[in-house]
Amino acid sequence: MSTFPATRLRRLRQTDWSRRLVQENVLTVNDLIWAVVVSDTADPTEPVAAMPGVERLGLSALADAARRAEQLGIPAMAIFPHIDPAKKDEDGSEALNPKGLIPQAIRTIKDAAPNVGVICDVALDPFTTHGHDGILKDGVILNDDTVDRLIQQALVQARAGCNVVAPSDMMDGRIGAIREALELEGFTDTMILSYAAKYASGFYGPYREAIGSGTVLQGDKKTYQMDPANTEEALREVGMDLDEGADMVMVKPGLPYLDIVRRVSETYGVPTFAFQVSGEYAMIQAAAANGWIDGDRVMLESLMAFKRAGAAGIITYFAPRAAEVLSK
Ligand code: PBG
């Protein structure tokens, strides 16, 4: 075993060149997926109060963002819709509108930056009056009825040119159902990134303001999202989604769940992504704004932590800023 003084671990740390030489993990722009909020009322942009630095983007601003992503080398954008409240209903019908905001946003990105991958959330919450991810009846979220809708939503996205559908709803059986429908319609190359281990978390707070579902959400999401106390269940969720045809899986939230990222990536050896969610972003930005932490430094440190835990990449609102800092 290594013993002092034959081994002095500080020897390798003494210079920049030796530190770089022995660095175990690297963070590059290729690890970043940019989370963006697109809106049908923002013109061209609207700030999100709880997420300083993040704006809801109208379609022209989204095109600019896509070009920026391409220039920076960011591989993909994940888009989340802020829908005009007048378009919401009990069943989230607007999610199935082939001329809706998301299909338009997909085409906008593809036109502006053909080489940027487009990832779309599959879930009903931005479109429902009650703010839940599924069909709500007598206080219960109906699993199978919701899955029927999610299949349609995923097909609408695939038809508009979405590269990756990302079910974030946590219904049982939706990955298999969506995969089957995609195959049947000839979308054999459309990828599925499953939000496989998604927890019922307070860290989503600012996101709900961003997409305008915060004030409307009735109750909580604990009957479909996971209990933050559980690990083994996350492995079962991921295992089932992989059996059903997921190409990639996600753990969400991110930093407080790095142990889950590690377990999932080691257990399955599949591309495992982590979502640095809105509340994680907001905490760093708020502390930085107060001068309590160095924002850029903590941003990069947090992103590196995901890589260290075994993540293939990170969905983050910091993507463009991180890409800029990394390129310096
Ligand atoms: C909805 C969805 C949520 C997020 C992404 N998709 C919120 C939720 O499940 O309540 C959270 C994103 C974030 O907080 O940044 N299906």
Side-chain angles (χ1 to χ4, degrees):
M1 282 315 296
S2 315
T3 49
F4 177 84
T7 300
R8 290 177 184 265
L9 289 172
R10 287 186 56 196
R11 269 187 213 119
L12 293 172
R13 287 181 209 140
Q14 64 188 306
T15 55
D16 178 62
W17 68 261
S18 60
R19 286 193 295 269
R20 281 189 284 130
L21 202 59
V22 301
Q23 188 174 82
E24 297 174 37
N25 293 285
V26 278
L27 173 72
T28 77
V29 68
N30 297 328
D31 299 312
L32 305 175
I33 296 170
W34 185 2
V36 294
V37 182
V38 53
S39 166
D40 54 6
T41 52
D43 183 22
T45 66
E46 264 165 24
V48 178
M51 301 177 72
V54 168
E55 293 174 313
R56 297 185 196 117
L57 308 179
L59 290 175
S60 64
L62 181 69
D64 292 341
R67 282 186 282 267
R68 187 174 171 210
E70 192 162 63
Q71 256 162 19
L72 287 166
I74 296 171
M77 296 168 89
I79 50 177
F80 302 91
H82 174 275
I83 295 291
D84 178 356
K87 292 185 186 153
K88 298 187 185 190
D89 63 19
E90 276 282 298
D91 294 346
S93 321
E94 181 63 16
L96 311 190
N97 179 359
K99 297 198 177 92
L101 176 62
I102 285 293
Q104 289 182 59
I106 295 165
R107 293 195 177 92
T108 299
I109 297 175
K110 284 291 161 196
D111 285 348
N115 297 315
V116 172
V118 177
I119 303 174
C120 293
D121 231 47
V122 182
L124 301 180
D125 58 313
F127 308 96
T128 53
T129 39
H130 45 72
H132 278 289
D133 294 30
I135 303 291
L136 181 66
K137 190 135 194 249
D138 303 328
V140 176
I141 301 294
L142 301 179
N143 193 86
D144 300 7
D145 292 18
T146 301
V147 171
D148 287 342
R149 294 252 158 175
L150 298 176
I151 294 169
Q152 299 309 318
Q153 185 183 17
L155 285 172
V156 164
Q157 295 170 351
R159 288 178 197 132
C162 173
N163 305 109
V164 184
V165 295
S168 70
D169 54 284
M170 289 297 279
M171 297 302 118
D172 288 320
R174 87 280 203 221
I175 300 298
I178 290 170
R179 173 56 78 208
E180 190 186 333
L182 290 172
E183 287 287 322
L184 273 173
E185 261 213 44
F187 292 111
T188 53
D189 291 337
T190 303
M191 301 169 219
I192 300 179
L193 165 59
S194 172
Y195 284 71
K198 176 168 178 180
Y199 288 85
S201 172
F203 286 96
Y204 309 146
Y207 169 88
R208 296 195 182 140
E209 183 216 322
I211 68 155
S213 70
T215 47
V216 296
L217 181 65
Q218 298 167 10
D220 58 49
K221 300 191 177 183
K222 290 181 185 170
T223 69
Y224 46 107
Q225 299 179 348
M226 283 180 51
D227 182 341
N230 295 355
T231 299
E232 303 308 324
E233 189 187 356
L235 299 179
R236 295 181 74 191
E237 282 283 3
V238 170
M240 287 183 75
D241 286 0
L242 290 171
D243 286 345
E244 291 175 31
D247 302 286
M248 306 174 271
V249 295
M250 187 159 26
V251 173
K252 179 182 177 191
L255 223 50
Y257 294 81
L258 286 186
D259 56 318
I260 310 295
V261 175
R262 166 57 62 200
R263 284 287 300 276
V264 168
S265 64
E266 267 184 13
T267 304
Y268 296 102
V270 298
T272 303
F273 290 79
F275 198 142
Q276 182 174 50
V277 300
S278 56
E280 300 174 62
Y281 174 88
M283 290 193 307
I284 293 174
Q285 292 295 71
N290 279 292
W292 297 334
I293 59 173
D294 174 340
D296 280 349
R297 183 175 173 182
V298 171
M299 167 187 75
L300 291 182
E301 187 176 329
S302 67
L303 294 171
M304 181 62 88
F306 290 106
K307 295 295 294 178
R308 199 189 59 236
I314 308 110
I315 302 198
T316 176
Y317 300 93
F318 281 122
R321 177 68 192 151
E324 272 166 16
V325 177
L326 286 170
S327 73
K328 272 186 206 136

Short mmCIF file of all heavy atoms in Angstrom, two decimals, residues 48-73:
data_model
loop_
_atom_site.label_atom_id
_atom_site.label_comp_id
_atom_site.label_asym_id
_atom_site.label_seq_id
_atom_site.Cartn_x
_atom_site.Cartn_y
_atom_site.Cartn_z
N VAL A 48 -37.55 34.92 -17.23
CA VAL A 48 -38.15 34.02 -16.23
C VAL A 48 -37.58 34.47 -14.89
O VAL A 48 -36.38 34.34 -14.64
CB VAL A 48 -37.77 32.55 -16.50
CG1 VAL A 48 -38.36 31.63 -15.44
CG2 VAL A 48 -38.23 32.13 -17.90
N ALA A 49 -38.43 35.03 -14.05
CA ALA A 49 -37.94 35.68 -12.83
C ALA A 49 -37.12 34.74 -11.95
O ALA A 49 -36.09 35.14 -11.41
CB ALA A 49 -39.12 36.25 -12.04
N ALA A 50 -37.57 33.50 -11.82
CA ALA A 50 -36.90 32.58 -10.91
C ALA A 50 -35.63 31.96 -11.50
O ALA A 50 -34.95 31.18 -10.84
CB ALA A 50 -37.86 31.47 -10.48
N MET A 51 -35.34 32.29 -12.77
CA MET A 51 -34.16 31.71 -13.43
C MET A 51 -33.37 32.81 -14.13
O MET A 51 -33.39 32.91 -15.35
CB MET A 51 -34.59 30.63 -14.43
CG MET A 51 -35.37 29.50 -13.79
SD MET A 51 -35.95 28.29 -15.00
CE MET A 51 -34.39 27.49 -15.43
N PRO A 52 -32.67 33.65 -13.36
CA PRO A 52 -31.95 34.77 -13.97
C PRO A 52 -31.02 34.28 -15.08
O PRO A 52 -30.28 33.32 -14.89
CB PRO A 52 -31.12 35.35 -12.80
CG PRO A 52 -31.80 34.86 -11.56
CD PRO A 52 -32.45 33.54 -11.91
N GLY A 53 -31.11 34.93 -16.24
CA GLY A 53 -30.29 34.51 -17.38
C GLY A 53 -31.05 33.62 -18.35
O GLY A 53 -30.60 33.37 -19.46
N VAL A 54 -32.22 33.11 -17.92
CA VAL A 54 -33.03 32.28 -18.81
C VAL A 54 -34.23 33.11 -19.27
O VAL A 54 -34.84 33.82 -18.48
CB VAL A 54 -33.52 31.00 -18.10
CG1 VAL A 54 -34.59 30.29 -18.93
CG2 VAL A 54 -32.36 30.05 -17.85
N GLU A 55 -34.52 33.00 -20.56
CA GLU A 55 -35.69 33.70 -21.10
C GLU A 55 -36.57 32.72 -21.85
O GLU A 55 -36.07 31.75 -22.41
CB GLU A 55 -35.22 34.79 -22.09
CG GLU A 55 -34.45 35.91 -21.44
CD GLU A 55 -33.89 36.86 -22.49
OE1 GLU A 55 -33.29 36.38 -23.48
OE2 GLU A 55 -34.07 38.07 -22.32
N ARG A 56 -37.86 33.00 -21.83
CA ARG A 56 -38.74 32.28 -22.76
C ARG A 56 -38.49 32.88 -24.13
O ARG A 56 -38.45 34.08 -24.29
CB ARG A 56 -40.20 32.50 -22.40
CG ARG A 56 -40.57 31.98 -21.06
CD ARG A 56 -42.09 32.14 -20.86
NE ARG A 56 -42.38 31.99 -19.45
CZ ARG A 56 -42.91 32.93 -18.68
NH1 ARG A 56 -43.23 34.10 -19.18
NH2 ARG A 56 -43.11 32.70 -17.40
N LEU A 57 -38.34 32.00 -25.12
CA LEU A 57 -37.99 32.47 -26.45
C LEU A 57 -39.17 32.35 -27.40
O LEU A 57 -39.82 31.30 -27.47
CB LEU A 57 -36.83 31.64 -27.01
CG LEU A 57 -35.57 31.51 -26.13
CD1 LEU A 57 -34.53 30.63 -26.82
CD2 LEU A 57 -34.98 32.89 -25.82
N GLY A 58 -39.46 33.41 -28.13
CA GLY A 58 -40.36 33.31 -29.26
C GLY A 58 -39.63 32.60 -30.40
O GLY A 58 -38.43 32.33 -30.30
N LEU A 59 -40.34 32.30 -31.49
CA LEU A 59 -39.73 31.46 -32.53
C LEU A 59 -38.51 32.13 -33.19
O LEU A 59 -37.54 31.45 -33.50
CB LEU A 59 -40.77 31.07 -33.58
CG LEU A 59 -41.82 30.06 -33.06
CD1 LEU A 59 -42.88 29.81 -34.13
CD2 LEU A 59 -41.18 28.74 -32.62
N SER A 60 -38.54 33.46 -33.37
CA SER A 60 -37.38 34.09 -34.02
C SER A 60 -36.17 34.05 -33.08
O SER A 60 -35.04 33.83 -33.51
CB SER A 60 -37.70 35.52 -34.43
OG SER A 60 -37.95 36.31 -33.29
N ALA A 61 -36.44 34.25 -31.78
CA ALA A 61 -35.34 34.16 -30.81
C ALA A 61 -34.83 32.72 -30.71
O ALA A 61 -33.63 32.49 -30.49
CB ALA A 61 -35.80 34.66 -29.44
N LEU A 62 -35.72 31.77 -30.89
CA LEU A 62 -35.31 30.36 -30.87
C LEU A 62 -34.37 30.07 -32.05
O LEU A 62 -33.38 29.34 -31.89
CB LEU A 62 -36.54 29.44 -30.92
CG LEU A 62 -36.24 27.94 -30.89
CD1 LEU A 62 -35.69 27.53 -29.53
CD2 LEU A 62 -37.48 27.12 -31.22
N ALA A 63 -34.68 30.64 -33.20
CA ALA A 63 -33.80 30.44 -34.37
C ALA A 63 -32.41 31.01 -34.07
O ALA A 63 -31.39 30.37 -34.38
CB ALA A 63 -34.40 31.11 -35.61
N ASP A 64 -32.37 32.18 -33.45
CA ASP A 64 -31.07 32.76 -33.06
C ASP A 64 -30.33 31.84 -32.09
O ASP A 64 -29.12 31.64 -32.20
CB ASP A 64 -31.26 34.12 -32.38
CG ASP A 64 -31.78 35.18 -33.36
OD1 ASP A 64 -31.64 34.97 -34.58
OD2 ASP A 64 -32.32 36.20 -32.88
N ALA A 65 -31.08 31.30 -31.14
CA ALA A 65 -30.47 30.41 -30.14
C ALA A 65 -29.90 29.17 -30.82
O ALA A 65 -28.82 28.69 -30.47
CB ALA A 65 -31.49 30.04 -29.07
N ALA A 66 -30.64 28.64 -31.79
CA ALA A 66 -30.18 27.44 -32.49
C ALA A 66 -28.88 27.72 -33.25
O ALA A 66 -27.94 26.91 -33.23
CB ALA A 66 -31.26 26.94 -33.45
N ARG A 67 -28.82 28.89 -33.88
CA ARG A 67 -27.57 29.25 -34.58
C ARG A 67 -26.42 29.41 -33.58
O ARG A 67 -25.29 29.01 -33.85
CB ARG A 67 -27.78 30.54 -35.40
CG ARG A 67 -28.53 30.29 -36.69
CD ARG A 67 -28.61 31.55 -37.56
NE ARG A 67 -29.62 32.47 -37.08
CZ ARG A 67 -30.88 32.50 -37.52
NH1 ARG A 67 -31.27 31.67 -38.47
NH2 ARG A 67 -31.76 33.35 -37.02
N ARG A 68 -26.75 29.97 -32.44
CA ARG A 68 -25.72 30.13 -31.40
C ARG A 68 -25.23 28.75 -30.93
O ARG A 68 -24.03 28.53 -30.76
CB ARG A 68 -26.31 30.92 -30.22
CG ARG A 68 -25.31 31.29 -29.16
CD ARG A 68 -25.93 32.20 -28.11
NE ARG A 68 -25.02 32.37 -26.99
CZ ARG A 68 -25.42 32.60 -25.74
NH1 ARG A 68 -26.71 32.68 -25.44
NH2 ARG A 68 -24.53 32.74 -24.78
N ALA A 69 -26.16 27.83 -30.74
CA ALA A 69 -25.79 26.47 -30.32
C ALA A 69 -24.85 25.85 -31.34
O ALA A 69 -23.82 25.26 -30.98
CB ALA A 69 -27.04 25.62 -30.14
N GLU A 70 -25.20 26.01 -32.61
CA GLU A 70 -24.38 25.40 -33.65
C GLU A 70 -22.98 26.01 -33.66
O GLU A 70 -21.97 25.30 -33.75
CB GLU A 70 -25.06 25.58 -35.02
CG GLU A 70 -24.43 24.75 -36.11
CD GLU A 70 -25.36 24.59 -37.31
OE1 GLU A 70 -25.69 25.61 -37.94
OE2 GLU A 70 -25.77 23.46 -37.60
N GLN A 71 -22.93 27.34 -33.54
CA GLN A 71 -21.64 28.02 -33.52
C GLN A 71 -20.77 27.57 -32.35
O GLN A 71 -19.57 27.40 -32.47
CB GLN A 71 -21.85 29.52 -33.39
CG GLN A 71 -21.64 30.26 -34.70
CD GLN A 71 -22.28 31.65 -34.66
OE1 GLN A 71 -22.56 32.19 -33.58
NE2 GLN A 71 -22.52 32.21 -35.82
N LEU A 72 -21.42 27.39 -31.21
CA LEU A 72 -20.68 26.99 -30.01
C LEU A 72 -20.33 25.50 -30.01
O LEU A 72 -19.53 25.05 -29.19
CB LEU A 72 -21.50 27.31 -28.76
CG LEU A 72 -21.63 28.79 -28.38
CD1 LEU A 72 -22.73 28.99 -27.35
CD2 LEU A 72 -20.29 29.31 -27.83
N GLY A 73 -20.96 24.74 -30.89
CA GLY A 73 -20.70 23.30 -30.93
C GLY A 73 -21.54 22.49 -29.95
O GLY A 73 -21.23 21.33 -29.67
#
